Amino acid sequence: MRAVIDAFWRALADSFRPRVLLLTLAPLAVMLLLALGAGYLWGAAALAWAQGWVNGAGWLTWMLGWLGGDAAGQVESVLAPLVLVALVTPLVVLGALLLVAVLMTPAMLRLVARRRFPQLERLGGGAAAWAGSVAHSLGATAVALLALVVSIPFWLVPPLILVLPPLIFGWLTYRVMSYDALAEHATAAERRALMRRHRVPLLVLGIVSGYLGAAPAVVWASGLLFAALFWVLVPVAIWIYTWAFAFSSLWFTHYCLNALQAQRGQAQAATKTEAKVVVAAPGPPTSPPALPPVNTPASPPESHPDER
């Protein structure tokens, strides 16, 4: 847990660096263009559909009738924008997450690696790693979208709407940003081992990031409720989404690169230990080398008595 908290404070400090704040303008510009275009084309129709759904829901009609009078009219005028916010927010969050992953994460990864991990060797795949990151992000997003669609009926239960979307976005953030943080530096085997070994801390990072991503919905809803402030509050809400996921990306990057460095250090230490054990292990007993034969001088031949 100490590593999680240390990465949190480092990421928070980095998220307010001028370079990072400037990087948030690119996803903000794209999201604003998409939001304004969608609002211009389908905003009125979507709000009318939400109003019709509120008027046609029997249990809501009963509750509004129980309130009665002016209170019911005021609540009814607020419910339609809130329903629209509840349906649009997941799409805004997904868009902000993907745009941060594609447009900001590579630059922030280089920033963290250069400042804190300059000696950490890059064993990823370069351009192939970037393509793999995009494919991985799209695949995880498709799974998260399916989970969101399946879970929509449970959002009508008040406690679950505060639990299910952040959990789904937390899982998505964990899958996308862990992969992106390790794509350039870790091999596929290292990445799998690290994500398996640190699954619980990474999932905690993802869930906290999921709740951070859901917080700007209050500002987003205010922009729909107060028409006079729409053109101010909606850009602010989108920028907060972008900043929140930029901070989350930095948090994952600090944690994952630190864990990768420790994992490589442990692997190198284990390799050195094994090498020492192999060197120190006794070999099979060997027989002493054979001594060369000793040459003794030859005795002179004895003379015969008859030869004297």
Side-chain angles (χ1 to χ4, degrees), residues 68-131:
D70 295 336
Q74 293 175 359
V75 172
E76 187 176 358
S77 64
V78 171
L79 280 178
L82 290 180
V83 170
L84 189 59
V85 167
L87 295 176
V88 171
T89 296
L91 299 179
V92 175
V93 173
L94 286 175
L97 175 60
L98 289 178
L99 287 173
V100 168
V102 174
L103 300 178
M104 293 186 64
T105 296
M108 294 189 297
L109 176 61
R110 290 191 293 269
L111 173 68
V112 173
R114 185 176 64 252
R115 292 177 58 88
R116 189 181 176 196
F117 305 99
Q119 305 300 324
L120 189 61
E121 188 177 1
R122 299 190 179 197
L123 301 179
W130 184 85

Side-chain angles (χ1 to χ4, degrees), residues 108-216:
M108 294 189 297
L109 176 61
R110 290 191 293 269
L111 173 68
V112 173
R114 185 176 64 252
R115 292 177 58 88
R116 189 181 176 196
F117 305 99
Q119 305 300 324
L120 189 61
E121 188 177 1
R122 299 190 179 197
L123 301 179
W130 184 85
S133 176
V134 173
H136 179 83
S137 299
L138 292 176
T141 301
V143 175
L145 275 175
L146 179 62
L148 284 172
V149 171
V150 172
S151 67
I152 283 176
F154 299 98
W155 294 8
L156 298 177
V157 181
L160 294 183
I161 195 173
L162 301 176
V163 175
L164 290 179
L167 284 179
I168 295 172
F169 287 121
W171 175 87
L172 176 61
T173 305
Y174 147 66
R175 296 295 299 176
V176 170
M177 292 189 174
S178 297
Y179 190 102
D180 290 347
L182 297 168
E184 291 190 11
H185 288 80
T187 64
E190 286 178 328
R191 184 178 63 250
R192 287 193 294 268
L194 191 148
M195 293 181 70
R196 182 172 58 251
R197 186 175 183 179
H198 296 267
R199 180 179 289 114
V200 173
L202 290 174
L203 192 56
V204 170
L205 265 67
I207 293 174
V208 173
S209 300
Y211 276 101
L212 285 177

